Amino acid sequence: MLCVTTVLQTIAETRSALARDGRAGQTVALVPTMGALHDGHLSLMRLARQHADRVVVSIFVNPLQFGPGEDYDAYPRQLDADVRLLERAGVDWVFAPSVEQMYPNWPTTTMVTAGDAGRILEGEFRPTHFDGVLTVVAKLFAIAQPDIAIFGQKDAQQLALVRRMVADLNLPLRIVAAPIAREPDGLARSSRNAYLAGADRERATVLSRALAAVADAAGNGVSAALDAGRAVYASEPTVKVDYLVAVDAATFTPSGPDFHGDALVLTAARVGITRLIDNREVRF
């Protein structure tokens, strides 16, 4: 296993390094990230190591997935610290390109579209987000040509859309989902947690508490269970809820009041200046 000693910054050197060192009968896993790595990311690296012989991690804050007024400029960037973490995790390569390297003809005109499934839930609140995500992910797949790619279950809608893109475009790789990593108090680990200040950090646990309430009340049916989750949110009146819904995990169609079976309960809320998402599998 190689130790990370240099960062690959261009597409050409990344393709060359992976072709030279990573294709001698060995499988390669890609873990796409935007950096500001935490223990949740490291769980993705460990999962990648379980599924492949070599691991490449991309670190790129993708401007294409940020809308007007979102936190692109403020998004935390700490490449040196990230590389030190990845060295300890035994990652083989880090691909950390510039915007100019990824989008030489900015603004880009060729895009991958998420379609109708990218316009609901997160897509309703961030209308261009998933087109930007799928476009950069497709570019990363073309650059690294991995056998496997690892995505976190926390971004459940993103995971579903990436899987659909891979199937629709007949891309020769397998998508592996990593379970949500949580803090001891239940908060889903996220780079955006660094924005939580003071009492907002404690308030942020309302997302996971609302999901737990839905799961606890699932035997009463979808409507009653979602009401139980909304009641938990109501206990934190300063938290602005964007949605709390139950959907089919593959199609993201809503689970109706008479639904019985496995569903994915998704939520998004703004705690102070920080917008957070979370989800949980629930059997109704």
Side-chain angles (χ1 to χ4, degrees):
M1 179 171 63
L2 293 178
C3 178
V4 174
T5 55
T6 60
V7 175
L8 303 169
Q9 294 182 313
T10 71
I11 293 170
E13 67 180 343
T14 300
R15 283 176 168 159
S16 176
L18 269 65
R20 182 181 64 247
D21 300 325
R23 299 302 180 189
Q26 296 183 315
T27 53
V28 173
L30 169 68
V31 186
T33 81
M34 293 204 301
L37 303 179
H38 48 71
D39 286 345
H41 288 109
L42 295 183
S43 69
L44 272 64
M45 314 312 166
R46 291 190 290 269
L47 184 61
R49 182 62 67 188
Q50 293 173 19
H51 284 271
D53 301 308
R54 311 295 285 277
V55 177
V56 55
V57 173
S58 63
I59 297 177
F60 179 62
V61 183
N62 175 32
L64 208 57
Q65 67 193 65
F66 288 80
E70 293 188 342
D71 57 347
Y72 173 71
D73 291 330
Y75 197 88
R77 293 161 170 85
Q78 51 185 49
L79 181 60
D80 290 344
D82 288 343
V83 171
R84 288 194 293 272
L85 280 175
L86 295 176
E87 286 176 340
R88 293 198 291 272
V91 166
D92 297 288
W93 302 281
V94 175
F95 176 47
S98 64
V99 172
E100 294 74 21
Q101 185 68 203
M102 291 297 286
Y103 302 112
N105 298 308
W106 184 263
T108 188
T109 57
T110 302
M111 299 276 291
V112 178
T113 178
D116 291 343
R119 308 287 182 257
I120 59 175
L121 299 174
E122 281 301 285
E124 179 181 348
F125 292 90
R126 307 180 69 188
T128 63
H129 174 68
F130 287 121
D131 290 354
V133 168
L134 294 186
T135 299
V136 78
V137 168
K139 290 171 73 72
L140 291 170
F141 288 170
I143 292 164
Q145 298 185 3
D147 302 284
I148 295 162
I150 310 292
F151 289 85
Q153 177 62 42
K154 183 176 74 70
D155 297 290
Q157 191 173 3
Q158 170 182 282
L159 172 64
L161 290 170
V162 168
R163 280 179 162 154
R164 193 189 67 176
M165 178 184 73
V166 167
D168 287 351
L169 299 183
N170 304 112
L171 301 179
L173 75 156
R174 181 164 58 94
I175 303 300
V176 175
I180 298 173
R182 297 187 180 276
E183 302 291 349
D185 60 4
L187 179 66
R189 286 181 171 145
S190 168
S191 298
R192 285 192 168 90
N193 292 352
Y195 300 157
L196 295 169
D200 282 344
R201 172 60 184 78
E202 183 175 351
R203 292 188 188 101
T205 63
V206 72
L207 279 81
S208 60
R209 289 188 280 117
L211 292 173
V214 173
D216 288 344
N220 300 323
V222 173
S223 297
L226 292 177
D227 284 344
R230 294 184 188 105
V232 173
Y233 268 127
S235 70
E236 296 286 357
T238 63
V239 173
K240 182 181 181 301
V241 184
D242 285 342
Y243 56 80
L244 175 67
V245 295
V247 302
D248 181 279
T251 66
F252 275 65
T253 55
S255 303
D258 297 326
F259 173 81
H260 295 285
D262 294 326
L264 191 62
V265 179
L266 304 151
T267 192
R270 189 173 296 276
V271 182
I273 64 170
T274 307
R275 189 171 182 279
L276 302 173
I277 61 174
D278 202 349
N279 66 84
R280 178 168 175 164
E281 293 179 353
V282 174
R283 176 176 285 274
F284 291 100

